[in-house]
Amino acid sequence: MEQNPKIIIVDCDHDKVDTEKAVFDKAGEDFRWLHCLNEEEVIRECQGAVCFLNQYCRMNAKVFEAIPTLKFIVRYGVGVDNVNLEDATKYGVQVCNVPDYGMNEVADQALTLMLGVVRKAWMLAERTRKGGWNYADAIPVHRLSEMTVGIVGTGRIGREFAERVHALKCTILAYDPQYAASGAERLPYITYVDTMDELLAQSDIVSLHCSLDETNRHMMNREAFAKMKDGSYLVNVSRGGLVDEAALDEALTSGKIAGAGLDVFNNEPIEKDNPLFRHENVLITPHEAWYSEEAALELKRKCAEEAVRFLRGEPVKYPVNHIDRE
């Protein structure tokens, strides 16, 4: 096989990589675009590479040991769930993401889902399409300005969402121990609570904007839903693994939860027989919160630029793990 260039796009489901090519051409770097599906294909096809642009393929010790030239991975997106960071650090592989490419889009999607389920617009639209014409089908609907929105995670997207919710004159609570401990400037209209239980008990709407790890997987479980207000709502545009979907189904069935707006799921694409589809006031979208034409191009450009910075020995902008470079 012909020797690989330093940069390989290991996998991405985009229809073209013209944006990345423009960045690499300007930097005088060659690259190869592949569609690897698993670790075995990566190991077979990517020997000799230094930098990976990666979307879905799992990256772990098996890959790092088999490709000793690999020193850098930048993932198309914010989350790096498919990269074992402990293994990457052990093998000296710098991992980066692009945390700021679709902040506005994800915050807008959270707001869209929130309004859709609280105003029951989705449910009424479907009934009207089928010949119905009765606003009373939505009873009860409550005034947004008298509702409390609880935000879990106040990083870039959580803060963008808070800004939008503030414009609706909602009361805003937040739970984020990491952000609270950082000493970062707080937005004056956000009140931080000390525990997740406080946020659940006081919020009419709970919106998730935190990353996923083993400490918070299925943080929204039976116990969490039991602590929420009767008739409250859940919005999740962050990570599907934050929500125990069976527990959410139970909370919706019992009426404990009045509705949910969901863009992410434990298994994607979501199965056709997922019980969540049974509930009229569950608004489901296909993990599209990140998307706009502008965001998609920004993501591709920033991934490519990060790879070029690494190859030039420049500081990377979005490191996820810490690697000492000689």
Side-chain angles (χ1 to χ4, degrees):
M1 185 180 71
E2 183 179 331
Q3 184 176 358
N4 277 317
K6 292 180 179 179
I7 301 173
I8 292 182
I9 299 176
V10 175
D11 68 306
C12 74
D13 57 11
H14 311 160
D15 59 353
K16 57 186 177 181
V17 291
D18 293 355
T19 300
E20 295 92 327
K21 184 178 185 301
V23 173
F24 295 144
D25 286 350
K26 183 177 180 180
E29 295 288 350
D30 196 8
F31 76 101
R32 188 179 179 203
W33 179 20
L34 302 177
H35 301 279
C36 297
L37 299 176
N38 51 50
E39 294 101 318
E40 288 73 20
E41 291 187 11
V42 174
I43 292 169
R44 184 176 67 247
E45 300 293 332
C46 301
Q47 290 295 324
V50 176
C51 295
F52 281 176
L53 279 69
N54 162 247
Q55 189 172 11
Y56 299 121
C57 260
R58 302 203 70 79
M59 298 288 160
N60 49 38
K62 183 178 179 181
V63 172
F64 304 143
E65 186 172 355
I67 309 178
T69 55
L70 179 63
K71 296 300 175 185
F72 175 82
I73 298 171
V74 58
R75 187 179 176 277
Y76 285 103
V78 179
V80 289
D81 306 352
N82 61 326
V83 180
N84 187 309
L85 295 178
E86 184 177 347
D87 289 349
T89 303
K90 176 182 176 182
Y91 283 89
V93 178
Q94 176 68 68
V95 180
C96 295
N97 63 350
V98 186
D100 59 354
Y101 77 97
M103 298 183 299
N104 291 320
E105 287 77 6
V106 179
D108 289 346
Q109 185 80 0
L111 182 65
T112 299
L113 294 175
M114 184 187 88
L115 292 173
V117 296
V118 172
R119 294 292 306 170
K120 300 182 182 174
W122 170 258
M123 182 186 78
L124 290 177
E126 286 297 300
R127 290 192 181 187
T128 303
R129 186 188 300 274
K130 295 175 182 177
W133 190 266
N134 187 6
Y135 81 91
D137 288 346
I139 292 174
V141 171
H142 297 287
R143 182 174 292 170
L144 277 159
S145 61
E146 296 183 13
M147 301 181 82
T148 296
V149 178
I151 301 175
V152 183
T154 51
R156 294 177 177 89
I157 295 170
R159 286 163 66 86
E160 287 287 338
F161 176 66
E163 184 177 342
R164 288 154 174 74
V165 172
H166 175 62
L168 298 175
K169 300 182 179 179
C170 297
T171 299
I172 303 174
L173 302 180
Y175 175 68
D176 189 338
Q178 184 177 12
Y179 185 81
S182 71
E185 182 182 358
R186 298 190 180 191
L187 298 174
Y189 44 79
I190 298 178
T191 300
Y192 282 84
V193 295
D194 295 328
T195 67
M196 183 69 174
D197 286 356
E198 290 179 77
L199 182 132
L200 294 175
Q202 298 178 41
S203 300
D204 300 293
I205 303 155
V206 173
S207 189
L208 306 180
H209 298 276
C210 53
S211 59
L212 174 66
D213 57 43
E214 290 310 312
T215 67
N216 63 8
R217 183 174 295 276
H218 285 184
M219 64 186 295
M220 297 305 300
N221 51 29
R222 288 181 178 87
E223 293 75 17
F225 288 122
K227 293 171 182 174
M228 291 176 67
K229 284 185 176 182
D230 292 346
S232 54
Y233 299 87
L234 177 71
V235 174
N236 187 15
V237 294
S238 186
R239 286 288 177 265
L242 296 170
V243 178
D244 181 336
E245 291 174 9
L248 175 58
D249 175 47
E250 292 175 7
L252 288 160
T253 300
S254 70
K256 176 68 176 182
I257 304 301
L262 309 170
D263 186 60
V264 288
F265 302 89
N266 284 258
N267 296 302
E268 296 182 0
I270 187 172
E271 303 91 341
K272 293 180 180 179
D273 60 351
N274 191 301
L276 295 175
F277 281 119
R278 294 189 292 106
H279 303 284
E280 276 193 300
N281 202 29
V282 174
L283 179 49
I284 291 173
T285 53
H287 203 147
E288 60 111 10
W290 66 274
Y291 172 72
S292 71
E293 286 295 300
E294 293 79 7
L297 293 176
E298 182 183 5
L299 172 63
K300 293 160 74 66
R301 174 178 57 80
K302 286 185 172 180
C303 277
E305 290 173 346
E306 191 80 318
V308 169
R309 275 190 290 271
F310 182 85
L311 283 178
R312 288 176 172 174
E314 299 172 1
V316 292
K317 283 192 174 182
Y318 309 111
V320 177
N321 61 339
H322 177 74
I323 297 294
D324 290 321
R325 298 179 65 182
E326 297 180 357

